[in-house]
Amino acid sequence: MLWYSVHTGKLWVQISRHPMSSSGSVSIVPTEQRAGRVALFATCLTDTFFPDTARAVVRLLERLGCSVEFPQGQTCCGQMHFNTGYRAKAAPLARNVASVFAGYDAVVVPSGSCAGMVRHVYPDLSVTPGPVYELSEFLVDVLEIEDVGAYFPHRVTYHPTCHSLRMLGVGDKPLRLLRAVKGLDLVELPAAESCCGFGGTFALKNAEVSSAMLADKMSCVLDTGADVLTAGDNSCLMHMGGGLSRLQAGVHPVHLAEILASTEEEPWVTPLATR
Amino acid sequence: MPGGSGPVADSHSRDVILARIRGALGDRPAPRPVPRSYERSRDFPSVLDLFAERVADYRAIVHRVTDPVEMIRSTLAGKRVAVASDAPPDWLVPDVTWLREPLTNADLDTCDGVLTGCAVGIAETGTIILDGGVAQGRRALTLLPDYHLCVVRADQVEGTVPEALARLEPTRPLTFISGPSATSDIEMDRVEGVHGPRTLEVLIVDGGTA
Amino acid sequence: MGDTTRNPVTWLGSPAFPTAAKTALADDQLRRNLKHATGLIRTKRAGAVAELADWEQLRLSGEAIKDDVLANLDTYLLRFEESVTARGGTVHWAKDAAEANEIVLRLAREAGADEVVKIKSMATMEIGLNDALQAGGVTPIETDLAELIVQLGNDRPSHILVPAIHRNRTEIRDIFKATMPGTEDLTNEPVELAAAARAFLRRKFLSAKVAVSGANFGVAETGSVVVVESEGNGRMCLTLPETLITVMGIEKLVPTWQDLEVFLQLLPRSSTAERMNPYTSVWTGVTPGDGPRNFHLVLLDNGRTDTLASTVGRQALRCIRCSACLNVCPVYERTGGQAYGSVYPGPIGAILAPQLGGDMHDKHAASLPFASSLCGACFEVCPVRIDIPSVLVHLRAKAVEAKPRYSPEAIGMAAMSWVMAGPRRFHVAQRLAVAGRLLSRGGKIRKLPFPGSKWTNSRDLPAPAKESFSAWWKRTRG
């Protein structure tokens, strides 16, 4: 699947089952060509609160041979407005996203929730979404890579966020990526598929129920004995991380991108120093 | 609108509701044709084995016999048992007190049990279906007694729900029975035995002439 | 005629969901009961569904059959009416709860009954039939075990399938001991509790002249009515009394007998996680010599046609009342059903009750669509593929429309939308937000004033980064 070229210093992807290639022959295209023009949609939350995640996506994708653009016109996908009942206020944000990312072959989003909004809700707002991919989808489906060459020597548990799981259907792609990470000790999260209680403005409008859900999620996280809790959405991680931090549990919430970006040469560092 | 005794009194509402429906469907929704790609039948190794296993799963007592008469005798001897008026004569073994229609609710409530045949069985779900046909009687017959012995012929057992439903005449009064009366109302856990017969015993007749 | 303006589908005087939820969350026993029961049924349902390799195909069929019914509802209702009438039944039409109650009361009186036995039915609960009968001098007797527990405990239902799910066995034992004669020595064993209900109700079944039921399905083609149950109380009611009155929502139809082959697979596995429920009864009009001599069928609108008018919301009418969505809902699991203030709780209730009620100015009804984290677990299990999250969001928009235009929330949302509509204002806002770091210690904000306190009461909030990613990109790469 994956081919490393010592000449260019880039990874290449061997295409299997390519419709144009005759059987038996091996066709190889560079990752860059395979992915085309790639843009990063950082999302408003990650841009403002978790820039490490966005930097990690760039580092990871560049390491895999993509050249990544970051269109400066991007803001927010509009999900919070839409899901809270402010359709009309979500529409201009959706139009902005569509125009900013027009013309790219792939828009990579380190959030299942925002990717789901763009892919599944924009048509309902009469906005045509471009080819948007949640990070694990982009890696596994477009680049066809599961081993991204990462190194992360920590005990990690993974929470599949609701929208990545049920709206996008990323399935076990994040887990496949994590299992290939060198040094990583992956522990299964009990009741993993239960919602953490974030739910956008739900966390405020129904703060008590949200907190009760969070408490159960945290006890499952603590049961794993993991040092790091990871997920594909910083929103949910912010919620669970906020609970873990309040408990002073010593479990770090780390976005999947940061784990995958971490290498022996450039390892992940404890976030307290940088955030 | 007081006093009216027939549907005439609410015929106005009928018009209102129909008009509301037509108004509500102003967008003329055109749903896609119903897909029917589910399995109508399944490839079970043995439909009869599966039927026996699934009926027993519901804690019904299951026997497989070639001739039901001996089992009827040994199971019901000495008891007062209700039976449909058109039950096969060979079922009516002498050592049982047979209660034949007309029977009152009190008769049914106080007898020891009931013996019937059935119309169709469903292997996949362990279900017996009564349709008031031969050897089954009216619905109360299999409801009030606390014990039900049901004779099921091999040729009556279908594999799946679709296959079984296709064999039924829907305008007959139908009763689908899957195990003895049960409830999940206490902590969502199934408990056998509420209002219907608390014991269901099934004789699967295979090979002999039923 | 009672109050015809208010639809009783939501309970009068119910507090908004967050307030009711807070009360429910404070009840530790309730939360333990719910966690136990929903956890059990969730695992069992998953097993029952996994047995059928064609489950997704069945769901697709179920969805499409119900969509066909809704799109041609007038045609199917008329066909159904004709079939029922041809087989000796009498069909009545009721626009709303008051009218349906009036019809049932009148029919019960005409049959000379001062007592009716009832099968658990969501439709009759929705219209508040028991209160109407009682007020008219006819005593309703609930015969479903869970309904009986609710009725004897002078309580309200909390689940579609198991209305007493909030009660554990010991609480049920105590209710029975307090209300049923001859139960002094009752233990909390479910088998004994069920036996006590059997003995208590048997006399009622044998003497009742009139039974009232709901319906799970009505077959338009044949006029057949289907009731799916477990205990046999349904069979008692459908078989023994001389008169049977069935109250059925107009959306409960299926076009043909064959269509039932889909729903009789979807429903039991989704609701009680069984391959098949213990008893299913099918009857068509009146059968001489077998069962009731008089059969009345009341077709109920009560907000259904209003719901049908919404192109997004009408899919809620596909619901077959299996309650799988309740059992998997993380919100329902913590609050139970009574917090929803309606006979329809949980995710389906949050989209059905406000639509049937039809009044988004009602603060309680308007709070229901927000009682969800939009996790989507409900949609995943729904046997007729109701996209509950999408309908919730659609109804949230309706709730917002019904609110004052200049509520603090609306102003906030408008401001954020204005800021985020383009990068310039957004980047200015990001730079201003860095001031939020002043509130933080070690990058964490531990305490905010209202409404931020809603978050910080139980969770820390990260402070905005010193430098946003977009600022970093511009500085290093731009």
Side-chain angles (χ1 to χ4, degrees), chain C residues 72-85:
Chain C
N72 301 287
L73 192 55
D74 49 347
T75 311
Y76 287 130
L77 279 170
L78 290 172
R79 193 172 299 165
F80 183 61
E81 180 188 41
E82 199 186 320
S83 315
V84 172
T85 310

Side-chain angles (χ1 to χ4, degrees), chain A residues 40 42 44 46-51 54-55 58 62 68-70 72-76 80-90 92-93 96 162-163 165-166 193-195 197-214 216-217 235 238-239 241-243 245-246 248 272-273 275, chain C residues 17-18 21-22 25 31 35 42 330-331 333-335 370-377 380 393 396-397 400 403 407 409-410 412-414 416-417 419-423 426-427 430 433 437 442-447 451-452 454-465 467-474 477:
Chain A
L40 166 64
C44 59
T46 290
D47 186 0
T48 311
F49 289 86
F50 306 105
R55 274 190 285 270
V58 174
E62 288 180 347
V68 182
E69 297 177 43
F70 180 78
Q72 280 281 338
Q74 61 181 281
T75 59
C76 163
M80 183 187 73
H81 289 88
F82 186 83
N83 282 355
T84 311
Y86 293 85
R87 262 182 92 88
K89 303 293 175 206
L93 307 188
N96 181 60
C162 300
H163 286 177
L165 191 69
R166 302 194 184 90
E193 294 186 1
S194 293
C195 176
F198 173 62
T201 49
F202 171 77
L204 302 176
K205 285 178 176 283
N206 281 284
E208 287 81 11
V209 185
S210 165
S211 299
M213 288 159 69
L214 177 62
D216 289 346
K217 179 59 72 178
S235 50
M238 176 176 78
H239 186 240
S245 150
R246 179 62 53 92
Q248 300 187 305
L272 284 177
R275 278 190 185 170
Chain C
F17 184 80
K22 213 169 161 175
L25 283 166
R31 279 170 75 185
K35 196 179 173 110
R42 240 181 251 179
V331 176
E333 182 190 333
R334 269 107 193 154
T335 66
F370 294 91
S372 165
S373 65
L374 304 179
C375 81
E380 197 172 51
V393 171
R396 289 176 181 190
V400 166
K403 281 210 298 197
S407 70
E409 182 187 280
M413 286 288 175
M416 283 188 76
S417 176
V419 166
M420 289 179 156
F426 177 53
H427 291 157
Q430 281 182 320
R437 296 187 67 83
K444 304 284 178 199
I445 299 168
R446 296 182 57 88
K447 202 171 160 75
K454 290 274 194 187
W455 181 281
T456 55
N457 279 344
S458 64
R459 318 153 261 221
D460 291 347
L461 187 71
E467 184 181 40
S468 70
F469 177 77
S470 47
W472 173 84
W473 181 278
K474 205 167 179 181
R477 306 215 182 183

Side-chain angles (χ1 to χ4, degrees), chain A residues 117-153:
Chain A
M117 171 75 187
V118 174
R119 190 184 299 163
H120 294 296
V121 179
Y122 278 17
D124 187 29
L125 291 167
S126 306
V127 172
T128 310
V132 58
Y133 301 95
E134 183 272 338
L135 178 65
S136 70
E137 290 179 325
F138 182 73
L139 296 172
V140 176
D141 296 343
V142 179
L143 299 186
E144 297 190 6
I145 299 174
E146 287 182 17
D147 182 353
V148 297
Y151 171 72
F152 195 84

Side-chain angles (χ1 to χ4, degrees), chain C residues 355-400:
Chain C
Q355 293 199 95
L356 293 178
D359 180 12
M360 276 300 189
H361 290 95
D362 177 303
K363 284 210 167 86
H364 161 245
S367 73
L368 292 176
F370 294 91
S372 165
S373 65
L374 304 179
C375 81
C378 46
F379 183 22
E380 197 172 51
V381 298
C382 178
V384 287
R385 295 173 45 86
I386 302 170
D387 184 354
I388 295 177
S390 290
V391 182
L392 285 167
V393 171
H394 163 77
L395 293 174
R396 289 176 181 190
K398 298 278 167 209
V400 166

Side-chain angles (χ1 to χ4, degrees), chain A residues 241-261:
Chain A
L244 292 166
S245 150
R246 179 62 53 92
L247 284 180
Q248 300 187 305
V251 182
H252 298 295
V254 180
H255 193 282
L256 178 68
E258 295 175 55
I259 292 178
L260 300 180

Side-chain angles (χ1 to χ4, degrees), chain C residues 90 213 234 259 287 329 340 358 394 469:
Chain C
T90 308
S213 84
D259 293 323
T287 304
C329 176
Y340 292 79
H394 163 77
F469 177 77

